[in-house]
Amino acid sequence: MADKADKEDEVADKPVDEAEPEDDLGKTSKGKVPTAPEKALSTIAPKTGVMIPGLEFNQKNEFLGSTVLKLSASGIRLDSPNLTAVFPPGQSGPNVYNPMTGKFMVLTNKNSTFLRQSTGMDKGISEEASKVGTDTIAGYKCTHFKVEKYLVNPRTKEKNHQWTTEIWGTRELALPKPILNDCSKLTMMPPEFGFPMRVIRHTAPTDQERSKGLVGQQKRVMIDTLVAKKTSFDKCNFQLLTGYTPVKDEMELMMANDAELDNTLSEMDDDKEEKSVSR
């Protein structure tokens, strides 16, 4: 009994935060390998106190949900519930950050299939644009365009209609031309139509929509500006974020880990096989 009491006293006297001794392999006596602390992900750079004039847009985006877009001579910033994009002047594309996965990538026409298709730079895609009229959206005069997209057969040159996009673009934003051109890379709309205040796309129904009995072209509101206002921002809004791991693939940006990425790719392969069999 005395020995047991002595051992209990030894345990009680041992400091709570005393670390287990490590061997040459970095393992503790209990066989556990210490893990490195997780990186702290920044959501905005520290304030600089330098205020710059700009424009702020509250928008609805089909893919991103409710977004806040900030434009200034110091760059562009887009905040959404799941992604943040920061686009400094002179950079090839926006830095897109995913705080859910801790990853980021610089989005360009070279590494983004979706961006190439949306801006008409994908090979085999042609377009025909026409002016529909004018409208005022969130206080800005806009020109309404209709753009027809076609997939061109490289051998026969036959055009197969893919989708129709309606764009309400404004040229009334008092910002440097390079910044407005960069907006096209972030909003994924061609710059020649001006800054897109509203974008509606008419496409064929998805598999899920077909399962619900929907047929014909479906209307999708890609971008809709609810409020636009002139304001001032601290310059920190347009500085790059820290703590994120760089990746080179859009899918990898969205996936939390390799297992999730592998599962998604496997599901895509299974879907392709099912469609091939059904044909």
Side-chain angles (χ1 to χ4, degrees):
M1 294 293 290
D3 291 342
K4 183 177 180 181
D6 291 340
K7 289 181 179 179
E8 290 178 350
D9 289 341
E10 289 178 8
V11 172
D13 293 339
K14 185 177 181 180
V16 175
D17 59 350
E18 183 176 326
E20 291 285 343
E22 295 183 359
D23 61 16
D24 292 338
L25 297 178
K27 292 183 179 180
T28 66
S29 59
K30 294 182 180 180
K32 296 180 181 179
V33 178
T35 57
E38 294 185 6
K39 293 181 180 178
L41 304 178
S42 69
T43 56
I44 191 169
K47 288 188 176 182
T48 66
V50 179
M51 303 300 291
I52 49 179
L55 295 160
E56 182 175 278
F57 300 84
N58 292 82
Q59 298 178 319
K60 282 285 188 180
N61 185 292
E62 183 188 22
F63 302 111
L64 301 177
S66 297
T67 63
V68 178
L69 179 64
K70 301 172 181 178
L71 307 180
S72 79
S74 293
I76 304 170
R77 181 186 176 103
L78 176 70
D79 288 294
S80 74
N82 298 316
L83 295 174
T84 293
V86 180
F87 198 167
Q91 188 167 286
S92 59
N95 285 55
V96 181
Y97 302 88
N98 187 341
M100 303 299 293
T101 64
K103 300 174 182 179
F104 87 96
M105 70 179 291
V106 180
L107 210 64
T108 69
N109 286 321
K110 291 184 178 180
N111 62 22
S112 171
T113 301
F114 186 66
L115 182 55
R116 287 197 304 273
Q117 291 177 343
S118 298
T119 55
M121 296 186 69
D122 209 14
K123 292 182 178 180
I125 297 287
S126 69
E127 64 182 36
E128 296 176 3
S130 60
K131 181 178 176 180
V132 178
T134 59
D135 289 292
T136 299
I137 298 176
Y140 287 89
K141 182 180 178 181
C142 302
T143 303
H144 180 189
F145 296 94
K146 180 178 287 188
V147 183
E148 306 288 354
K149 292 275 188 175
Y150 297 90
L151 183 64
V152 181
N153 186 309
R155 185 173 58 85
T156 65
K157 305 303 180 183
E158 180 182 358
K159 295 193 300 184
N160 181 23
H161 186 266
Q162 297 296 296
W163 65 78
T164 301
T165 303
E166 294 183 82
I167 302 173
W168 284 259
T170 182
R171 298 187 180 279
E172 294 190 336
L173 305 185
L175 287 171
K177 187 176 180 180
I179 295 295
L180 295 179
N181 287 340
D182 285 345
C183 282
S184 68
K185 300 175 184 177
L186 191 57
T187 61
M188 301 184 181
M189 290 294 123
E192 58 265 29
F193 302 120
F195 176 79
M197 299 289 283
R198 179 179 296 152
V199 179
I200 295 177
R201 183 163 290 168
H202 306 268
T203 68
T206 63
D207 291 341
Q208 185 177 12
E209 289 171 336
R210 288 193 186 94
S211 69
K212 297 179 181 179
L214 296 176
V215 296
Q217 295 279 297
Q218 302 297 308
K219 176 181 176 181
R220 313 180 194 285
V221 180
M222 311 287 289
I223 298 173
D224 194 18
T225 302
L226 307 178
V227 178
K229 63 181 181 181
K230 295 180 180 179
T231 185
S232 294
F233 309 105
D234 189 292
K235 196 172 183 178
C236 68
N237 281 272
F238 308 101
Q239 295 177 346
L240 300 180
L241 306 187
T242 59
Y244 293 79
T245 302
V247 296
K248 297 181 180 180
D249 181 82
E250 291 167 298
M251 191 172 293
E252 190 179 357
L253 173 70
M254 302 307 296
M255 300 300 169
N257 50 54
D258 291 340
E260 186 178 356
L261 178 59
D262 290 341
N263 288 338
T264 300
L265 292 174
S266 177
E267 289 174 1
M268 290 174 65
D269 289 338
D270 292 342
D271 187 49
K272 287 180 180 178
E273 290 180 5
E274 289 178 4
K275 288 183 178 180
S276 178
V277 172
S278 65
R279 289 173 184 170

